[in-house]
Amino acid sequence: MKKQNLRKKQRKQMKRWYFVLCLFFVVPVLALFFVSVFDRDREKSGNEMLAQFPEFSVKALFSGEFTAEFEKYFSDQFPMRSVFMDGAKYINSLYAIDFRGDKFEIDVDIDNTWEHGQSVDPNNDTDVIQTVATSSGSEDPEAGSSEATAPGDGTASSSEGSSSTSEEGSETSLPETTWNTSWTELASPWGEETGDSESSVTSTESGILIIGDRAMERVYRVDSYLEDYADTINLLYDSLGGVRVYAMLVPKSIEFNAPAAYRSGAASQLDAINYAYSKMKLGVICVDAYSELYAHRDENIYFRTDHHWSQRGAYYGYRAFCSAANLTPYGLEAYSNETVTGFLGTMYSYTRNYAQSEVLKNNPDDVEIFRPLTVSTMEVFSDASLSDGAVKNIIYSYDYAQNSLDASLKYLVFLGGDRPVCHIKNETVDNGRKLLILKESYGNAITPFLGDMFEDVWAIDPREFNGSGEPVFSGLVDFVEEQGITDVVVLNNVQSAIPSYMSNIRALIGAE
């Protein structure tokens, strides 16, 4: 009898506990439900644009587009979102390493295998034909004219060996023997550096460093990746025969905007570039973007809230390419200039749940725009068959970029983002040269400059081919021949010289 009473008592206690647990679970869920019913959708949170309810269609539902957009909408419009995010930021802040108050190392999982790009196709950006630049947007009324600083009038690249231009104004008279020079290792321009006591920063763990209002990806060297990178470009060089092939590795922001410890040892991007270029075959033309960027490191050549270089940084990369390609660049003052404000890029997106990223949110980037100088049009294609061309802006209009692109998407102003194939047809240049750029998103900001230098510029994003659900294309060698391409550049940031990206290029030439 006592045992039965004890069991009854235990069951009553268990029921009470079940009731209490259910109460703590059900009540918050019901509360959130009723709040969400009456809660209004918001358009913005600070500088951040929030997703709105997606337009429903049967096609969008079955393609998965509607569910993906709805998931983003629900995440952005979740009731009391700011309260939950503030709590998450506080908890996450406990995991950030604090170095002397204004420097934080945040251990976040960055998808470097592979940051896949985005693209936009605005319906209301109808100014699709680029014209010769005017003084609009430039402080100096003479600076916008294409005659203000034509190639060869004292604005040639600072690299040794530059000479005067030909009558066309875009090709120099350097001898052909300069194409096939081997790579000479770059000495560190930093001089003797002792670094500091933060020895942990040279580890090979991914993460983001925030210094003041600037966030940067940590970068480290893996020799086997760099060897694979060189092997792929050597294979491309062998496959294309008489076409000039360039390798162009672009360093990332942390090389120029962080203490010495972040550019030494395994973290040295200069060492990585030297090592990769040393593995190239004689005949591959290696582009020294590092020296140009170092010389202008005090300018806004990288974004503070995003992992890309700015278009100003891309301009100095363009100068470096012109030096290697036997071309003389335009001076920066020749371009009309506009500034789009309110850009919060990938570095903010990755760190937004950390309290330390508030400084990024409160100090969004400006996006400088330098418009092409020559009369050009751009067609974009969904695959290499070139059967569905649509004319688009090389750089989208200021009004569209400022007022219609979300804060996180403003880098897409260049080419409209990452597309399978872009073709820029220049109506002004007549020098017999046509360029193919094999690129990732670092290529977007530099392509408008290169469009001024060649009769045709083709830009192919290898990530957009030969994957699941993407068009298959392995005829790059035939494509180069059919289009009469004379120059091919593989343009990447240092961190994208990895096997998963290089395999896309090998697949394009039918070697994977």
Side-chain angles (χ1 to χ4, degrees), residues 159-187:
S159 300
E160 293 181 5
S162 296
S163 65
S164 61
T165 59
S166 64
E167 292 180 1
E168 288 81 8
S170 60
E171 190 165 3
T172 69
S173 57
L174 291 176
E176 281 294 312
T177 54
T178 60
W179 298 118
N180 293 329
T181 55
S182 60
W183 176 247
T184 301
E185 182 173 310
L186 291 174

Side-chain angles (χ1 to χ4, degrees), residues 423-498:
H423 177 214
I424 297 175
K425 178 66 176 176
N426 195 306
E427 301 174 23
T428 307
V429 174
D430 181 20
N431 60 6
R433 296 180 66 174
K434 299 181 180 183
L435 175 68
L436 168 63
I437 308 170
L438 298 177
K439 66 166 194 67
E440 29 87 351
S441 54
Y442 261 62
N444 297 352
I446 193 175
T447 297
F449 294 122
L450 296 174
D452 282 329
M453 311 305 292
F454 294 84
E455 293 182 7
D456 289 283
V457 171
W458 294 88
I460 290 180
D461 191 327
R463 299 170 297 177
E464 302 291 332
F465 293 96
N466 304 315
S468 176
E470 294 166 349
V472 175
F473 179 52
S474 58
L476 187 68
V477 176
D478 291 338
F479 181 88
V480 167
E481 183 177 358
E482 290 165 4
Q483 301 301 330
I485 290 167
T486 58
D487 301 76
V488 176
V489 57
V490 180
L491 192 158
N492 303 100
N493 72 76
V494 169
Q495 210 163 21
S496 69
I498 54 177

Side-chain angles (χ1 to χ4, degrees), residues 367-384:
V367 182
E368 280 190 293
I369 295 172
F370 300 96
R371 295 198 176 274
L373 295 173
T374 54
V375 180
S376 307
T377 56
M378 182 178 78
E379 278 191 287
V380 299
F381 304 90
S382 63
D383 59 56

Side-chain angles (χ1 to χ4, degrees), residues 122-252:
N123 294 321
N124 59 338
D125 188 29
T126 55
D127 179 22
V128 293
I129 299 179
Q130 301 291 344
T131 59
V132 176
T134 68
S135 59
S136 175
S138 173
E139 294 180 3
D140 179 0
E142 295 297 322
S145 171
S146 62
E147 297 177 0
T149 315
D153 62 357
T155 62
S157 171
S158 59
S159 300
E160 293 181 5
S162 296
S163 65
S164 61
T165 59
S166 64
E167 292 180 1
E168 288 81 8
S170 60
E171 190 165 3
T172 69
S173 57
L174 291 176
E176 281 294 312
T177 54
T178 60
W179 298 118
N180 293 329
T181 55
S182 60
W183 176 247
T184 301
E185 182 173 310
L186 291 174
S188 173
W190 298 96
E192 292 293 328
E193 291 186 316
T194 58
D196 56 32
S197 61
E198 296 160 19
S199 58
S200 65
V201 300
T202 59
S203 68
T204 56
E205 297 297 324
S206 66
I208 293 175
L209 176 70
I210 297 179
I211 300 178
D213 62 357
R214 181 182 297 275
M216 300 158 281
E217 287 175 281
R218 285 170 50 190
V219 179
Y220 58 89
R221 165 182 169 179
V222 180
D223 285 355
S224 61
Y225 290 2
L226 298 172
E227 291 162 6
D228 180 74
Y229 166 83
D231 288 345
T232 301
I233 294 182
N234 288 336
L235 177 64
L236 182 67
Y237 174 75
D238 288 340
S239 301
L240 294 180
V243 175
R244 288 183 285 266
V245 174
Y246 308 79
M248 185 171 176
L249 276 178
V250 178
K252 303 193 84 170

